[in-house]
Amino acid sequence: MPIAVAVAPHPLLEVGAFVTRLAGPLAEVAAPPLAPPDDWRVDDDVRAAVRALLRHGGYKPSGRGKPASEYLVAAHADGRFPQVNPVVDVCNHVSLWTGLPISVIDLDLARPPFTIGVCPPATTYVFNPSGQTIDAAGLLALADADGPCGTPVKDAQRTKTHPGTRATLSIVWGSTALPGRTARATAWYRALAAALGAVDDVSA
């Protein structure tokens, strides 16, 4: 059955989404070759558009709460780019070079229905194994029946991928201020993810 994600109206948000059904458990899946592309540029206009997207709901994208794509750029520049697993590595590779934040979650750890919208006041969630939480009030988020799963800043710990992951849902957090960029980034991401398994569309 197709996965459905209901997206709340938003003047700046442009979503790219798809499901990847892995060829086997994640621990047994090999990552595709990931080479720096020569046809992508991330400049100040891209960074400003992403930050404006996050600010629209009242969230402040700065410090430890900056977009995940900015964290990846800094990590890459410092020679500490994270290598996690094939699914996350492909996600991070596309996010780094396109400048768009991307969430990827384990579908089997989440409970439908899935929605995308701005988190209400007092929304928090755990984002790492040590139990640290993020204040997500005003932040865009992919949510399931139990709350936020993924955001343009940090994904929730409870739905992160693990060695036994068999299916994932990916969300590209794009902006209408960057015409065509979300669709192009999602198409490239899908092409890389297809090396990991079968890629399926997401319905509204």
Side-chain angles (χ1 to χ4, degrees):
M1 180 179 295
I3 299 298
V5 179
V7 182
H10 191 291
L12 298 177
L13 177 63
E14 191 169 48
V15 173
F18 63 91
V19 168
T20 306
R21 302 193 184 280
L22 304 181
L26 180 52
E28 300 175 8
V29 174
L34 299 176
D38 58 9
D39 56 346
W40 283 97
R41 298 290 181 272
V42 178
D43 56 22
D44 288 342
D45 289 342
V46 173
R47 287 186 284 271
V50 170
R51 287 202 169 206
L53 172 67
L54 272 61
R55 284 195 189 97
H56 182 79
Y59 181 79
K60 295 181 180 180
S62 60
R64 293 184 178 180
K66 64 187 176 185
S69 46
E70 291 188 21
Y71 162 77
L72 293 172
V73 169
H76 184 264
D78 292 344
R80 52 181 178 84
F81 194 75
Q83 289 187 310
V84 182
N85 62 48
V87 163
V88 175
D89 293 349
V90 168
C91 166
N92 287 345
H93 181 73
V94 176
S95 183
L96 169 67
W97 295 108
T98 65
L100 301 180
I102 300 175
S103 294
V104 60
I105 70 165
D106 183 312
L107 265 180
D108 296 322
L109 296 180
R111 291 198 308 131
F114 294 104
T115 60
I116 288 177
V118 174
C119 294
T123 300
T124 63
Y125 64 90
V126 174
F127 67 85
N128 65 12
S130 65
Q132 287 184 289
T133 62
I134 178 174
D135 180 354
L139 179 61
L140 279 165
L142 165 71
D144 70 352
D146 296 317
C149 299
T151 75
V153 176
K154 301 178 189 297
D155 291 339
Q157 179 63 30
R158 67 183 177 85
T159 51
K160 284 185 178 178
T161 58
H162 57 91
T165 294
R166 298 298 297 259
T168 62
L169 170 60
S170 294
I171 302 294
V172 178
W173 302 97
S175 169
T176 56
L178 302 169
R181 196 174 191 90
T182 305
R184 187 167 161 238
T186 303
W188 179 37
Y189 186 12
R190 287 179 67 126
L192 291 175
L196 305 174
V199 176
D200 296 331
D201 292 333
V202 168
S203 63

